[in-house]
Amino acid sequence: MFSSTFKFSKPKPPPQNFRGTRPEDTVELPQKDVGPLPPNVYVASTAPANKPAPNWLRMVCISDTHNTTDANNYPLPEADILVHAGDFTKMGTTAQIDQFICWLKSLTHIPIKVVVAGNHEVILDKEFYEQHWHRFHTTKEDHEAAVNKLKSAGHGIIYLNNELYIVDGAKLLHKKYQKQKKQSSMKVMTQHVDTAGADDMDIDDSVVLDPREGWVEGYRIWASPWQPEFWEWAFNEVRGKLKDIWKHIPEDTDILMTHGPPKYHGDIVPEDKELHVGCGELLERLKLVRPLYHVFGHIHQGYGVSEIEWDGGSHSTVCINASTCTERYRPLNQPIIVDLPPK
């Protein structure tokens, strides 16, 4: 089993100046000594430039960005899928959701962006917001409008709430292949602009390989914003009742996204006698579902990677705490990269 070499964070209210925090002008993401990682899993600074093969998918994992990231201070590498495990806003206002969507739309080099809410997205938890909106916002905002903004954003943005999304790798990669082929064709045409008969030129397909080979089915992603209650934030449930949510995780899930961690993985609170604050009921469900990857955040200093081995190590679940922000809400933790083979 791989043990995390990252630090862990205590779940608590944001700092007093939280509403006023801003991204740093230019933040150099520090390279940490992360120790051994499972195969095909990297921190961004150590990931190879290319996937193992054109028919693989590259997935970028982030979480807990809290409206602190932009193209300048937190550049993301080229990939096929982005997964964001929640807390993408500071206080869950409509304006902050708009800001997040605008940032996602700017990531044109990542065609699919799968997103789940976190406890900070208070407006997206309808029942909670009806009762507690005054604790977070000066005026009550429209829950349905906020949800629809995410649902109808387009640009490959997929918002999930206890829902399944299947990544059609063959379709996704073939579309990317066609785009590259077109760009390659245009480049050749430009280089031969003065050549007679350029419109009839044959483009060498070997320049851009068709990546659909090996794909039979897609990767199944199931995502939920819920986590054990703390400090009365959104999508909180008392311990002992979360099993009623986790029972809906499909047993054939490949990639599980939850906002909070399972118990014993990326969930230690060092300031409180090394207390594990993750969800034990979620860990129990993992024992049955056994997804390939479990991506989460919530505990900022729990950022890192660990692995749960099943059946004596014959297969495993890679647990990724992808929290982008540190405990001080600065976007200093690097994205975690996963390369996925055809399925």
Side-chain angles (χ1 to χ4, degrees):
M1 178 182 294
F2 290 87
S3 60
S4 173
T5 57
F6 295 102
K7 297 168 68 179
F8 300 86
S9 77
K10 182 177 182 178
K12 58 185 179 182
Q16 291 182 355
N17 65 345
F18 183 67
R19 287 180 175 83
T21 55
R22 294 290 186 271
E24 304 293 333
D25 292 335
T26 301
V27 175
E28 182 179 354
L29 299 180
Q31 182 174 348
K32 296 185 178 181
D33 181 13
V34 300
L37 293 172
N40 302 312
V41 179
Y42 315 91
V43 293
S45 63
T46 65
N50 299 313
K51 298 177 289 186
N55 61 343
W56 285 50
L57 290 173
R58 175 157 288 186
M59 178 173 70
V60 175
C61 307
I62 59 175
S63 184
D64 295 79
T65 50
H66 293 290
N67 291 125
T68 63
T69 53
D70 59 38
N72 295 319
N73 79 326
Y74 200 79
L76 294 178
E78 182 175 352
D80 304 297
I81 312 167
L82 171 71
V83 293
H84 192 303
D87 274 6
F88 43 83
T89 66
K90 294 177 181 179
M91 301 298 288
T93 66
T94 302
Q96 290 169 4
I97 290 175
D98 284 337
Q99 180 184 342
F100 174 64
I101 291 173
C102 184
W103 177 59
L104 289 183
K105 288 181 177 180
S106 74
L107 305 176
T108 56
H109 57 297
I110 307 178
I112 300 295
K113 301 97 170 171
V114 183
V115 177
V116 69
N119 56 292
H120 279 252
E121 280 71 69
V122 294
I123 195 173
L124 299 179
D125 185 345
K126 185 176 182 178
E127 292 185 8
F128 175 84
Y129 191 65
E130 284 292 327
Q131 298 180 38
H132 301 285
W133 67 266
H134 56 279
R135 290 174 45 210
F136 302 91
H137 300 161
T138 55
T139 59
K140 188 178 181 182
E141 301 185 6
D142 190 331
H143 159 79
E144 296 295 339
V147 172
N148 289 335
K149 281 177 179 290
L150 287 161
K151 288 284 189 180
S152 63
H155 296 263
I157 299 171
I158 310 296
Y159 171 66
L160 300 178
N161 183 354
N162 292 351
E163 295 172 90
L164 175 71
Y165 176 73
I166 301 176
V167 179
D168 188 336
K171 182 178 180 180
L172 173 60
L173 291 170
H174 183 64
K175 185 176 181 179
K176 187 175 182 179
Y177 156 73
Q178 293 290 349
K179 181 178 180 180
Q180 291 174 331
K181 185 176 179 181
K182 182 178 180 180
Q183 292 173 341
S184 177
S185 174
M186 292 300 296
K187 182 177 181 180
V188 173
M189 293 288 288
T190 301
Q191 291 173 345
H192 295 81
V193 66
D194 295 326
T195 302
D199 290 340
D200 300 323
M201 286 172 31
D202 292 328
I203 305 303
D204 185 1
D205 283 345
S206 65
V207 175
V208 183
L209 300 176
D210 187 334
R212 289 175 293 182
E213 182 178 355
W215 283 92
V216 177
E217 56 183 307
Y219 280 91
R220 300 172 65 85
I221 301 176
W222 193 89
S224 175
W226 292 88
Q227 78 272 177
E229 65 174 343
F230 85 111
W231 297 101
E232 292 185 299
W233 284 70
F235 299 107
N236 280 193
E237 183 57 276
V238 296
R239 294 180 187 269
K241 292 186 177 182
L242 282 156
K243 61 184 178 182
D244 292 331
I245 296 173
W246 306 141
K247 69 182 181 182
H248 296 293
I249 302 173
E251 293 185 19
D252 57 356
T253 298
D254 298 305
I255 300 167
L256 176 63
M257 293 172 60
T258 59
H259 180 55
K263 197 162 188 178
Y264 306 125
H265 293 272
D267 72 330
I268 286 182
V269 180
E271 298 93 339
D272 195 1
K273 299 180 180 179
E274 301 294 309
L275 178 66
H276 288 276
V277 297
C279 181
E281 295 157 279
L282 180 54
L283 179 62
E284 289 302 309
R285 186 61 178 172
L286 284 180
K287 293 177 181 179
L288 178 63
V289 177
R290 302 183 179 187
L292 298 173
Y293 298 93
H294 182 193
V295 183
F296 51 89
H298 191 43
I299 309 302
H300 290 198
Q301 287 182 333
Y303 165 78
V305 179
S306 61
E307 191 171 15
I308 306 173
E309 294 181 343
W310 310 114
D311 298 333
S314 61
H315 54 290
S316 65
T317 294
V318 177
C319 297
I320 301 173
N321 184 326
S323 295
T324 296
C325 282
T326 64
E327 191 176 18
R328 294 181 179 273
Y329 292 86
R330 298 180 63 198
L332 298 178
N333 294 330
Q334 297 188 51
I336 302 295
I337 311 299
V338 178
D339 285 335
L340 302 166
K343 181 176 181 288

